[in-house]
């Protein structure tokens, strides 16, 4: 029901746009987040967007370089990643949770998500 795509190998300083296509539910009253997990590290919440009011939240480590957006007509949430650094190398996942209202930072912990998608690998070379 969720499928992340758009990952790849990119040089440091480059950009990628990840896509999260969802099906089986409407975006109404959901929040969709992006998470990543690097080898040997715990999962980290990156960003989240609310369908009900379009509010967004970002991890401090990505503020100013990552932008989350949605295209409800295409049932897709995007994550634009700019100024990539090698430490951004990870598998990126998207997840959805039934949610109404302004997103909060604690959503980035990833607990209680209703749906998780398969990830897409992002590798940043130095």
């Amino acid at each position: 029901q969720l499928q992340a795509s758009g990952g790849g190998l990119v040089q440091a300083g480059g950009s990628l746009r990840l896509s999260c296509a969802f099906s089986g539910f409407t975006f109404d009253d959901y929040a969709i987040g992006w998470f990543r997990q690097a080898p040997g590290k715990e999962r980290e919440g990156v960003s989240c967007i609310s369908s009900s009011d379009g509010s967004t939240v970002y991890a401090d480590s990505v503020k100013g370089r990552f932008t989350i957006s949605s295209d409800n007509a295409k049932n897709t949430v995007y994550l634009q990643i700019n100024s990539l650094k090698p430490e951004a190398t990870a598998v990126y996942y998207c997840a959805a949770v039934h949610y109404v209202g302004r997103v909060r930072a604690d959503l980035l912990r990833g607990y209680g998500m209703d749906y998780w998608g398969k990830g897409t690998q992002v590798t940043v070379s130095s």
Side-chain angles (χ1 to χ4, degrees):
Q1 291 179 317
L2 290 167
Q3 180 63 57
S5 62
L9 174 63
V10 64
Q11 288 188 333
S15 298
L16 281 174
R17 188 176 78 159
L18 307 184
S19 299
C20 175
F22 54 90
S23 62
F25 63 93
T26 58
F27 192 36
D28 296 345
D29 300 336
Y30 273 85
I32 290 184
W34 283 98
F35 301 83
R36 64 185 179 185
Q37 188 163 22
K41 295 188 176 181
E42 293 186 353
R43 184 185 67 205
E44 176 189 19
V46 174
S47 183
C48 195
I49 187 167
S50 168
S51 66
S52 61
D53 66 359
S55 57
T56 59
V57 65
Y58 296 90
D60 289 342
S61 60
V62 306
K63 282 181 181 178
R65 296 184 298 112
F66 288 25
T67 303
I68 192 170
S69 62
S70 66
D71 186 334
N72 294 7
K74 294 183 178 180
N75 284 357
T76 303
V77 170
Y78 302 99
L79 185 69
Q80 178 69 40
I81 309 176
N82 298 326
S83 303
L84 275 161
K85 302 177 181 180
E87 51 264 39
T89 295
V91 177
Y92 284 70
Y93 302 88
C94 55
V97 61
H98 187 264
Y99 188 88
V100 177
R102 187 170 185 82
V103 290
R104 305 185 311 271
D106 61 1
L107 283 173
L108 297 180
R109 297 170 66 188
Y111 298 147
M113 292 290 169
D114 295 314
Y115 308 106
W116 284 90
K118 293 182 179 179
T120 185
Q121 176 72 47
V122 171
T123 303
V124 184
S125 63
S126 57

